[in-house]
Amino acid sequence: MPGSTLPSPKGTRDFYPIEMARRRWIEDKWRKTSVRHGFEEIDGPTFEHVEVFTIKSGEGIVSEIFGAFSGKDETQLENLKQGHAPFALRPEFTPTLARMFAARAKQLPQPTKWFWQGPCFRAERPQRGRLREFLQWNCDILGMGGPDQPKERATADAEAIAVCVDLLASCGLKPSDITVQINDRHIVAGMLAECGAAGREMQALMLLDKRGKIPEAEIGPMFAAMGVDLARFDAMAAGLRAPRVSDSPRFADLGVALASLGVEEWCAVNPYIARGLAYYTGTVFEVIVDGERAVAGGGRYDNLIEVFGGPPTPAVGFGMGDVVLSLVLQDKGLMPTDAQITKDLGLRPDAFVISNGTPESDAAVAPLLARLRGRGLHARRSYKATKNIGKLLKDASDAGSRFAVIIEGAGEVTLKNLDDNTQDRGATDAMLARITP
Ligand code: HAM
């Protein structure tokens, strides 16, 4: 198609250098925060056998799968014609993590604390905060707190929440900006059963997850059709709410654990948080800013490792996406300037080499660059034809360089510190020695 350009597929993003630097800034924070909290990084394949996701993640996510197949396999092509792709681009990482943990459960330490970050794919309708390819950061704690160890379980839940809160705080967010809304599926399923959903608790939970996302006038009749007395549920839910997590008797252990990690003021009990994924078994939480889709979501999934052939293993974790996080940081003016991001990521050039315009100095530019780079420094030059030193110095400062090195002739340079605008002229070796990483 000469003359016309192609956009990226619907719901995906092209990352030009500045968008890429912003993305790296977030990824860098994710990685550093996980490491600070004692999580180790893992990775798995971008695509999985489709069953890995159909087995336990639930209807919602399965309906958004991007199918994938190998063009090398005739049987797969047949399957595809019938609408069954054998592989799926991962819509989330938790089933892969469960599969990996189950395969090595015997050798792995207890608890195992893993983090992961990478792209996920969901064929959702693109809208504010929702794309078809996005980045997710996950932290998960496996093998801590058995069924009869409520305090250890609460500690694991609180540790997962604390690493998430630490990330938010390190971006400059405050408890008044954002809340970790916590609930417990086990408790809510019991309440729903009492209100008429006995035997259909999971469907009722999934409907509860839709509350607030689709109009109340539509949800009411849907609960009624299930035989659920919503007014009664609302009355029971009101009793679960409390200003602080530790004030809600059913969340007392978690409240204490959150308080001891210093993050309780970021949290609140919200009896309407249900979460859309099918595998959650107890504590669930979502990180919410008014008017936006969730920044992060997670919870306890104590049966999933067994589903993948491993031993019974308690597990808790969360996933945070880059899309809503970026929107929130931009809206609150917390996304740093491009210059600051370049600095934070260590992308500032150390030296920008300029010729004074003589043929000998021009020829000395490349060797000087090689010398600086050989010392591990980030060195650049201008590719412009101009010999105007003022213009070249402007290029150096536009690139954010720390120093400009102007080649003055045989064995001599001017070293200009672009941060404080001081300069000195002298022998090349002595001047270059002043540029340290
Ligand atoms: P999730 O709630 O489906 O949970 O996704 C977690 C986060 O990923 C969301 O809060 C949101 O920030 C981001 N996200 C999800 N879908 C999209 C989308 N279409 N566009 C942009 N961002 C999106 C999970 O995926 C669980 N596996 C998390 C988990 C880990 N639970 C335990 N461990």
Side-chain angles (χ1 to χ4, degrees):
M1 274 186 290
S4 64
T5 59
L6 273 179
S8 73
K10 191 165 112 182
T12 67
R13 293 169 287 180
D14 293 328
F15 293 88
Y16 289 88
I18 190 55
E19 288 98 29
M20 194 64 203
R22 288 183 196 136
R23 164 175 160 181
R24 286 280 181 244
W25 182 81
I26 288 178
E27 290 175 329
D28 193 49
K29 282 212 175 297
W30 283 349
R31 180 166 284 112
K32 285 189 173 137
T33 307
S34 327
V35 169
R36 263 207 309 279
H37 287 247
F39 289 79
E40 292 178 305
E41 188 166 19
I42 58 163
D43 200 3
T46 313
F47 64 93
E48 287 273 9
H49 287 285
V50 74
E51 293 76 23
V52 167
F53 303 111
T54 53
I55 201 168
K56 196 73 189 152
S57 295
E59 274 298 305
I61 216 159
V62 167
S63 67
E64 293 165 351
I65 276 180
F66 272 104
F69 73 102
S70 153
K72 296 259 183 267
D73 188 329
E74 280 301 318
T75 54
Q76 290 187 8
L77 266 175
E78 272 315 306
N79 277 335
L80 195 74
K81 280 183 201 143
Q82 289 159 29
H84 309 297
F87 301 112
L89 296 184
R90 60 174 173 230
E92 56 156 342
F93 189 69
T94 311
T96 299
L97 172 137
R99 182 178 66 63
M100 287 171 64
F101 185 89
R104 299 245 177 119
K106 287 204 189 74
Q107 298 102 287
L108 288 166
Q110 304 233 336
T112 286
K113 293 171 70 174
W114 279 345
F115 82 96
W116 169 82
Q117 53 197 62
C120 292
F121 309 85
R122 297 187 191 178
E124 288 195 52
R125 187 171 61 81
Q127 53 191 296
R128 185 177 164 89
R130 285 292 177 271
L131 294 175
R132 292 184 153 192
E133 181 178 15
F134 55 98
L135 297 164
Q136 228 189 44
W137 168 52
N138 285 210
C139 290
D140 292 89
I141 304 172
L142 300 115
M144 179 169 171
D148 50 356
Q149 296 176 296
K151 291 214 160 43
E152 284 79 358
R153 295 163 69 75
T155 301
D157 293 353
E159 281 208 14
I161 291 170
V163 60
C164 184
V165 165
D166 191 3
L167 182 284
L168 304 172
S170 77
C171 293
L173 289 161
K174 305 245 161 352
S176 52
D177 297 318
I178 194 160
T179 316
V180 183
Q181 305 207 354
I182 301 174
N183 198 11
D184 188 313
R185 258 200 192 173
H186 193 66
I187 297 172
V188 178
M191 284 162 47
L192 286 165
E194 272 187 59
C195 297
R200 297 180 308 280
E201 289 90 344
M202 187 49 93
Q203 289 105 296
L205 276 168
M206 292 296 135
L207 203 51
L208 201 60
D209 180 62
K210 302 241 157 45
R211 218 170 169 196
K213 295 177 190 159
I214 54 179
E216 195 67 15
E218 287 173 34
I219 284 272
M222 287 160 94
F223 273 112
M226 282 187 72
V228 175
D229 180 347
L230 203 51
R232 183 155 174 235
F233 178 81
D234 286 342
M236 291 172 87
L240 216 57
R241 281 195 193 273
R244 281 189 316 174
V245 180
S246 48
D247 291 337
S248 189
R250 306 207 54 179
F251 291 87
D253 284 337
L254 181 56
V256 169
L258 290 168
S260 68
L261 285 166
V263 296
E264 198 193 6
E265 61 171 334
W266 294 77
C267 305
V269 172
N270 177 347
Y272 293 97
I273 297 293
R275 305 276 298 131
L277 292 156
Y279 47 67
Y280 293 114
T281 51
T283 305
V284 283
F285 56 93
E286 278 186 353
V287 177
I288 298 196
V289 174
D290 283 347
E292 299 285 358
R293 310 292 303 261
V295 173
R300 181 161 278 290
Y301 49 100
D302 289 343
N303 302 332
L304 199 60
I305 307 302
E306 266 178 288
V307 168
F308 285 95
T313 307
V316 61
F318 69 87
M320 178 184 289
D322 70 319
V323 182
V324 185
L325 179 65
S326 304
L327 287 173
V328 169
L329 294 180
Q330 265 149 22
D331 280 1
K332 304 223 178 263
L334 292 171
M335 194 52 116
T337 60
D338 296 347
Q340 187 63 41
I341 286 180
T342 307
K343 192 165 166 228
D344 288 358
L345 292 177
L347 295 176
R348 281 187 79 188
D350 297 304
F352 200 96
V353 178
I354 294 171
S355 157
N356 69 349
T358 65
E360 303 78 56
S361 297
D362 287 353
V365 170
L368 193 57
L369 281 168
R371 202 168 142 189
L372 290 163
R373 288 172 184 158
R375 281 180 45 206
L377 295 166
H378 171 174
R380 293 196 193 184
R381 59 169 290 178
S382 171
Y383 295 94
K384 288 186 182 149
T386 180
K387 304 228 179 264
N388 181 323
I389 296 200
K391 279 193 184 148
L392 294 169
L393 280 171
K394 182 166 183 308
D395 279 359
S397 100
D398 288 349
S401 189
R402 295 165 54 217
F403 292 96
V405 181
I406 305 161
I407 303 173
E408 303 287 6
E412 223 180 62
V413 299
T414 295
L415 183 69
K416 193 171 168 71
N417 181 326
L418 297 171
D419 286 336
D420 62 14
N421 261 322
T422 55
Q423 67 177 54
D424 212 354
R425 184 169 167 160
T428 306
D429 289 351
M431 290 294 117
L432 294 193
R434 294 193 195 169
I435 310 175
T436 47

